Amino acid sequence: MKRSATTTRPIQSTRVNVGAAMLRYIDATLGCLRSAGFTYQQADRAWNAMDAHIYGFTLRESTFPLEPAEYVSAATYFLPRIPESTHPHMNALTRLVIEGEHDGVSEFEFGLELILDGLERLLEVTD
């Protein structure tokens, strides 16, 4: 999974924003992380992880072609194109959406909690 995630990097859009406001934002965030006990190296990695989550979630939300109300009809339409014999996990997840057992909505908080929990564990290990 890690290899799959890292191979998509070149095709993703790039952004450079080094204006004064961004520099203040990054500096303040690094300062908060340092005050919490992270080294500069850890703070940099933590900031990048949080920034990637925020940016990625925002990008996905702004470009995803369906509204949540359309998920069930889209899942119903695509299910025949996702055979259980070749894609058992996608087929099962699609069926859960159709049956109302999973809403398919991506949650910002879920990803953020994963990151924050990992950062908290990192601090516990380095203390």
Side-chain angles (χ1 to χ4, degrees), residues 5-82:
T6 58
T7 58
T8 62
R9 289 173 102 182
I11 63 172
Q12 296 174 348
S13 65
T14 58
R15 64 192 168 104
V16 176
N17 180 356
V18 291
M22 180 56 88
L23 291 174
R24 284 191 302 274
Y25 165 67
I26 295 169
D27 191 68
T29 304
L30 291 172
C32 287
L33 292 164
R34 287 284 295 142
S35 295
F38 291 96
T39 66
Y40 277 113
Q41 294 88 343
Q42 292 169 330
D44 179 52
R45 291 182 181 116
W47 183 86
N48 281 297
M50 292 183 294
D51 183 61
H53 176 62
I54 293 166
Y55 180 69
F57 188 87
T58 302
L59 183 62
R60 183 181 184 278
E61 286 288 300
S62 65
T63 61
F64 197 70
L66 300 172
E67 293 296 322
E70 300 171 297
Y71 289 177
V72 171
S73 63
T76 303
Y77 173 80
F78 282 108
L79 184 62
R81 293 158 181 80
I82 309 170

Side-chain angles (χ1 to χ4, degrees), residues 1 34 47 54 59 72 84 88 93 97 99 107-108 119:
M1 184 181 279
R34 287 284 295 142
W47 183 86
I54 293 166
L59 183 62
V72 171
E84 186 176 15
L93 185 59
V97 171
E99 295 163 3
E107 297 176 11
F108 178 81
L119 293 174

Side-chain angles (χ1 to χ4, degrees), residues 83-101:
E84 186 176 15
S85 60
T86 56
H87 304 357
H89 306 292
M90 284 297 300
N91 182 281
L93 185 59
T94 303
R95 288 180 186 281
L96 289 177
V97 171
I98 293 168
E99 295 163 3
E101 295 180 37

